[in-house]
């Protein structure tokens, strides 16, 4: 019996012996799970990491003897299904990992179990579909098809059907697909002189990944701009397929090998030619740096590619150590809430993204180093969605606590999950590469040209008069024209909205609408619902344009926000009439209470709605006082909820002034 915990040596992972027939022997697997689970039962350090360990300990504690020997072995699969191979137990918690004699590698034991299950049972349609990222991406991004896919993914009725038939949770926010794929539109610049550093090759090849290619190509374009700014010659990998991580998590190891055979020859040539190979998705980078080398320990080509593979910020940090990274930043980023994803942490190169972002002047990076709970396709599935949100709850709170300007994670899927968990926030979700590109050159975002009669109203500068003319059918963009400028327009609107939000306490948010926010709302409705018939477009205009202020008032959307559905239901029952108790006050004048929900009734005698539309009518004297510098205060005075903002922020005040016209 071992008498010590841990080791002075670094954790060491053994090769995955997946070609051995005994690897798939279920009796042998059960014996190993019993051995490992019994050690875990006696330790329990990992109880707070995910739901796999709590489920294991519940099975033991609820068994007849209170020990592992009375747990039904078939129930072991409940533990296996809850493990999403984040590797955090191996890297941060377990004191018995190799070289300890007990040789515990819980994630790779779960991988073995998943492989046995796949070998014996295969996988259902949903799991095969979600793990076929290349196939899904190619089909979903066909022009016309992409519009239908995105519309369906954003339609509640369709999502309910997907939940009941496919097991994809109706409330999970899914990434959109794009017809403008990264590889088809990327313009790498390889004309610069190669400057090798002591730690870094001086030329780069981009392995785009399925996600960057089909979902968020802007991440790849921003990486190319960063490399170009630093005069690093870059190119794309000639051909690429999925890295294989989704198939690995499914347990389909034969499919992993097939994808390896497609990718490695192209990547090997680049490695042999002295390129650093960069992948902007941590899971893909990890696949080449760790999982494939452990699956194919004697494959020299796999090992050579692993040595050439870098996370982008790992590479940039090493360039900085080589004194070859430019730090001529032009734009401060303010307050950034940054999350380190698990699959980057286990690469064990430190907090390089944070280190680079902290080089930017007037930028504060609040780093959260904890699993977000989404992990690839796991958090999309109906049976795991609630657990994914529960696991992520501490991350959501930590990310929101600093009231950030941006929320960011190297894993774009984790960032979307965190954004969903936080809910309504002033923070804009941007990838760290996008933040770095912004800091280098805030004006470099590509803005597609559009005709004069289809231009988007620009955001007014502070104190500048904004036109409050109603939006008309004639100045709405067509679906095709809006799709071209949608990404840039959204960035513009989200930045504008930061100066239009006023939190009243912890659970009520006022979002003051204007022509720009309402135009965005209409264009989004047309885009998401694929509305092109005249009568339906007119209906959307008639619905939303009354929410634009007319020069003598402010109009706001009021959001009552309680993340927990049960708590929200309870609170809404106590807040009946709260929308009538919201007020704004111009210094020296009486408070102005909201006129609420003029379009339709949003409450009954039992509860109020979580969303209301408010109008605050101002007198000419109030408007004149504002123009002369009077402060604005706001609040809500309801028996069950009181909150006051003594003076709104200067940027919010300046933005609200643009809604008003001097009589």
């Amino acid at each position: 019996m071992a008498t010590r915990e841990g080791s002075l040596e670094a954790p060491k992972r053994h090769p995955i012996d997946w070609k051995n027939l005994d690897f798939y022997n279920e009796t042998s697997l059960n014996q190993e799970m019993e051995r490992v689970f019994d050690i875990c039962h006696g330790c329990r350090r990992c109880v707070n990491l995910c739901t796999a360990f709590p489920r294991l300990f519940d099975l033991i504690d609820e068994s007849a003897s209170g020990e592992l020997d009375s747990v039904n072995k078939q129930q072991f699969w409940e533990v296996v299904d809850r493990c999403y191979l984040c590797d955090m137990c191996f890297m941060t918690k377990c004191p018995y990992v190799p070289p300890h004699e007990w040789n515990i590698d819980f994630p790779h034991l779960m991988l073995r179990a998943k492989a046995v299950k796949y070998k014996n049972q295969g996988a259902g349609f949903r799991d095969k579909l979600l793990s076929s990222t290349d196939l899904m991406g190619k089909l979903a991004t066909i022009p016309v098809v992409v519009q239908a896919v995105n519309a369906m993914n954003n339609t509640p009725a369709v999502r309910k059907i997907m939940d009941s038939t496919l097991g994809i949770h109706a409330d999970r926010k899914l990434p959109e697909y794009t017809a403008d794929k990264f590889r088809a539109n990327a313009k790498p610049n390889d004309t610069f002189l190669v400057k090798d550093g002591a730690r870094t090759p001086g030329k780069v090849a981009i392995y785009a990944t399925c996600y960057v290619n089909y979902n968020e190509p802007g991440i790849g374009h921003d990486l190319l701009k960063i490399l170009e700014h630093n005069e690093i010659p870059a190119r794309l990998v000639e051909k690429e397929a999925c890295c294989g991580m989704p198939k690995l998590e499914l347990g389909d190891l034969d499919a992993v090998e097939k994808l390896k055979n497609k990718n490695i020859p192209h990547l090997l040539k680049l490695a042999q030619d002295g390129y650093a190979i960069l992948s902007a998705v941590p899971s893909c980078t990890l696949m080449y740096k760790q999982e494939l080398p452990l699956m194919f320990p004697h494959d020299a080509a796999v090992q050579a590619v692993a040595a050439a593979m870098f996370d982008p910020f790992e590479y940039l940090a090493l360039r900085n150590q080589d004194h070859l990274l430019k730090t001529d930043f032009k734009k401060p980023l303010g307050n950034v809430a940054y999350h380190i994803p698990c699959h980057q942490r286990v690469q064990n190169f430190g907090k390089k993204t944070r280190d680079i972002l902290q080089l930017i002047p007037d930028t504060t990076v609040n780093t959260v180093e904890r699993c977000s709970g989404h992990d690839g396709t796991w958090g999309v599935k109906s049976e795991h969605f609630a657990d994914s949100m529960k696991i992520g709850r501490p991350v959501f709170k930590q990310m929101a606590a600093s009231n950030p300007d941006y929320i960011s994670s190297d894993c774009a899927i984790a960032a979307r999950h965190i954004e969903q968990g936080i809910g309504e926030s002033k923070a804009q979700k941007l990838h760290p590469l996008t933040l770095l590109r912004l800091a280098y050159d805030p004006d470099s975002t590509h803005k597609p040209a559009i005709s004069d009669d289809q231009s988007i109203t620009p955001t007014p500068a502070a104190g500048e008069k904004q036109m409050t003319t109603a939006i008309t059918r004639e100045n709405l963009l067509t679906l095709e024209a809006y799709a071209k400028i949608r990404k840039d327009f959204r960035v513009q609107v989200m930045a504008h909205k930061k100066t239009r939000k006023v939190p009243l306490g912890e659970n009520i948010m006022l979002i003051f609408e204007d022509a720009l926010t309402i135009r965005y709302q209409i264009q989004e409705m047309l885009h998401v619902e694929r509305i092109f018939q005249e009568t339906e477009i007119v209906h959307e205009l008639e619905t939303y344009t009354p929410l634009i202020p007319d020069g003598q008032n402010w109009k706001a959307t009021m959001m009552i926000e309680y993340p927990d559905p049960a708590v929200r239901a309870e609170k809404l029952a106590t807040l009946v009439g709260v929308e009538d108790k919201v007020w704004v006050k111009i210094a020296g004048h009486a408070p102005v209470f909201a006129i609420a929900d003029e379009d339709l009734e949003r409450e009954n005698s039992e509860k109020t709605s979580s969303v209301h539309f408010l109008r605050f009518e101002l007198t000419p004297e109030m408007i004149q006082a504002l123009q002369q510098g009077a402060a604005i205060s706001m609040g809500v005075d309801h028996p069950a909820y009181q909150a006051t903002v003594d003076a709104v922020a200067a940027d919010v005040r300046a933005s609200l002034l643009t809604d008003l016209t001097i009589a």
Side-chain angles (χ1 to χ4, degrees), residues 196-239:
D196 292 324
R199 301 165 182 82
T200 50
K203 54 186 179 180
V204 162
I206 305 297
Y207 176 81
T209 78
C210 304
Y211 187 86
V212 170
N213 199 29
Y214 301 121
N215 298 105
E216 290 195 44
I219 296 171
H221 293 304
D222 288 332
L223 176 55
L224 287 176
K225 289 174 183 176
I226 291 166
L227 296 172
E228 185 171 21
H229 184 84
N230 282 279
E231 299 180 1
I232 300 171
R235 58 171 295 182
L236 302 185
V237 174
E238 182 181 0
K239 290 183 180 180

Side-chain angles (χ1 to χ4, degrees), residues 160-218:
K160 288 180 180 178
I161 295 172
M162 291 169 65
D163 196 335
S164 61
T165 59
L166 290 178
I168 296 174
H169 201 281
D171 293 335
R172 168 60 67 202
K173 291 186 177 179
L174 300 175
E176 288 197 344
Y177 287 95
T178 178
D180 299 322
K181 295 184 284 292
F182 172 70
R183 287 184 64 87
N185 295 278
K187 297 179 180 178
N189 187 340
D190 64 353
T191 62
F192 300 108
L193 179 68
V194 175
K195 297 178 183 177
D196 292 324
R199 301 165 182 82
T200 50
K203 54 186 179 180
V204 162
I206 305 297
Y207 176 81
T209 78
C210 304
Y211 187 86
V212 170
N213 199 29
Y214 301 121
N215 298 105
E216 290 195 44

Side-chain angles (χ1 to χ4, degrees), residues 261-423:
N261 291 338
K262 288 182 179 180
N263 285 311
I264 289 297
H266 302 291
L267 298 174
L268 176 63
K269 186 176 186 304
L270 293 164
Q272 292 172 334
D273 288 345
Y275 281 87
I277 305 171
L278 271 55
S279 163
V281 174
S283 297
C284 302
T285 314
L286 179 68
M287 193 69 188
Y288 288 104
K289 291 175 73 171
Q290 175 176 291
E291 302 298 352
L292 288 178
L294 289 174
M295 287 182 67
F296 304 95
H298 306 299
D299 190 324
V302 169
Q303 306 302 323
V305 170
M309 184 70 63
F310 291 85
D311 174 272
F313 281 94
E314 176 192 16
Y315 177 80
L316 294 172
L318 292 172
R319 291 297 280 182
N320 191 44
Q321 293 179 37
D322 287 338
H323 305 290
L324 292 171
L325 184 75
K326 293 184 179 181
T327 57
D328 53 337
F329 302 111
K330 297 182 178 66
K331 176 183 172 63
L333 298 177
N335 186 353
V336 178
Y338 164 63
H339 166 256
I340 307 178
C342 298
H343 281 177
Q344 188 185 67
R345 290 170 67 190
V346 299
Q347 293 177 45
N348 220 20
F349 56 70
K351 302 174 183 178
K352 295 298 187 286
T353 302
R354 178 207 63 181
D355 295 346
I356 293 298
L357 293 179
Q358 284 182 334
L359 297 175
I360 302 167
D362 299 319
T363 297
T364 301
V365 183
N366 298 292
T367 304
V368 176
E369 194 172 3
R370 184 172 180 144
C371 182
S372 72
H374 191 290
D375 198 86
T377 63
W378 191 82
V380 170
K381 299 174 183 179
S382 297
E383 66 269 29
H384 299 312
F385 174 77
D387 282 342
S388 76
M389 299 304 287
K390 180 179 179 180
I391 294 167
R393 197 168 296 141
V395 175
F396 308 154
K397 290 181 179 178
Q398 292 177 54
M399 293 286 281
S402 60
N403 193 29
D405 300 300
Y406 300 100
I407 55 175
S408 190
S409 175
D410 300 274
C411 175
I413 295 174
R416 181 180 295 99
H417 174 57
I418 293 167
E419 182 183 43
Q420 179 171 357
I422 290 175

